[in-house]
Amino acid sequence: AARDPGAVPPAGQPSAAHLARCDAGDAATCAAAAERLAAAGDRRQATVRARQACDGGDAAGCLTLGGLLDATGDPAGAVGAWLAACERGTPQGCTAAGRPLLHGLGVPADAPRALVLFERACQAGDARGCTALGATLDDGDRARALFQQACDGGDPDGCLAFGAAVVAADPAVAHDAWSAACDRGKGEACVQAAITGLALGHGEARTTALFDRACAAGSAVGCTNLGLRLHRGTGAWRDEVRALAAYHKGCDLGHGPACTNAGWMYAVGHGATEDDARAAALYRQGCDAGDPHGCFDLGTRLEGGEGVDRDAAAAAAAYQRACDGGDRDGCANLGRLHHLGLGVAADADGARALYDRACEGGQPIACTNAGRLYETLGQREVATARFRAACDAGDAEGCSALGE
């Protein structure tokens, strides 16, 4: 069977005898030599031998050549090599060539040709071709059938797609598909299997184990969820050191909430010695990775000078990012800075709008602050409504403003 473009070939340099056989025109030996050279990190010589193999009619050599050319920035050459592999009966070459043709990745886009190639690959037994074909279809029933075929054929991406296609109608079937993809090393599928399994009543320990597998497979979301469960002792013994390690891995993989959670651990000294500077750095990393709660926490650190130099203007910018991302506390704190003119120009109208936004999101102190601003405008009815919202949410000052 031909090797997939991304597979790892056998290690070790080819012998002089093998290279001599390749030079004498043995295309299969050239293909084997190319795989060994690629595994040893010698891409230049691997490309030379793969080209000899492909030119000599070896389909596996063409497949390897395509992968090497793609990795070195020659997408057109890669597609040509993969098409040669496809024409010589290797369906993986059809799938590999179809992907850049479908999306116009370094070659002119040709969607009709890509679909033909995916269909050909799928019919010839390449499960990834079935997945690629299903992803292009508007016909949901046929797409689901193709995803199932791909999953049954061993493609974890097919299992992932099949699970997503059937989860609304049959969560148990989706769970089985995601579990199959998880077993094949697909971290994202482990996360989906964990979430769906919990809803199906599979238990906390099993769910935590799946998040552990997801994290080990490189899923940032899996690492974040594992950290949460280890920190809380959900489905496993509570272990703050392991929780922090999971957050760090999730953060390194680019998941903002993992960075924010790691920052909180350092801020309070859970799982590590309390470290304000490291907490602030992780909050910044979480904010930059798109977590609005990280932006809020960064803002509080900048405003208070904890672990960083005090900087009201930078705090306002962080609160703005938090607010824009839907963090109601970020809106409330930004409103306060506008109200007091700290780090930004004093702006009562802007402060009131921000307090209103936070209040509508359920932030009780913001409701009280909004109420006080409306009182200064003589809008007692609106002020009373804000105080009532604050009081009902448990803010004593809101209740006091109502005379309660």
Side-chain angles (χ1 to χ4, degrees), residues 66-277:
L68 289 164
L69 292 174
D70 187 53
T72 53
D74 183 2
V79 169
W82 286 328
L83 287 172
C86 178
E87 291 303 318
R88 290 166 184 165
T90 300
Q92 294 91 339
C94 306
T95 302
R99 287 173 177 147
L101 287 169
L102 179 66
H103 300 292
L105 301 175
V107 294
D110 190 342
R113 189 179 187 190
L115 299 188
V116 169
L117 288 166
F118 292 150
E119 183 83 58
R120 181 174 175 180
C122 182
Q123 290 181 0
D126 181 35
R128 292 179 181 176
C130 301
T131 301
L133 180 60
T136 68
L137 299 179
D138 294 327
D139 182 344
D141 289 338
R142 186 169 183 229
R144 278 190 296 275
L146 285 164
F147 293 146
Q148 184 172 16
Q149 182 179 345
C151 184
D152 292 343
D155 180 26
D157 288 318
C159 296
L160 190 63
F162 180 58
V166 301
V167 65
D170 197 333
V173 171
H175 177 270
D176 289 344
W178 286 328
S179 295
C182 178
D183 290 342
R184 294 163 187 160
K186 198 76 177 177
E188 181 184 350
C190 300
V191 171
Q192 295 302 325
I195 294 169
T196 309
L198 190 60
L200 291 169
H202 289 181
E204 299 290 359
R206 190 170 169 184
T207 300
T208 299
L210 281 166
F211 282 131
D212 198 352
R213 291 174 64 189
C215 184
S219 166
V221 174
C223 294
T224 304
N225 279 283
L226 175 63
L228 285 167
R229 288 178 158 265
L230 290 171
H231 187 206
R232 296 169 180 169
T234 306
W237 291 108
R238 183 171 181 176
D239 188 334
E240 292 180 343
V241 173
R242 281 188 66 206
L244 181 57
Y247 287 144
H248 270 301
K249 184 173 180 179
C251 181
D252 291 342
L253 289 168
H255 195 224
C259 305
T260 302
N261 289 356
W264 182 85
M265 298 281 277
Y266 283 105
V268 298
H270 285 193
T273 302
E274 187 173 328
D275 187 333
D276 285 337

Side-chain angles (χ1 to χ4, degrees), residues 358-376:
C359 178
E360 289 164 5
Q363 219 285 352
I365 297 174
C367 296
T368 297
N369 289 339
R372 297 199 187 287
L373 284 177
Y374 278 111
E375 274 189 326
T376 65

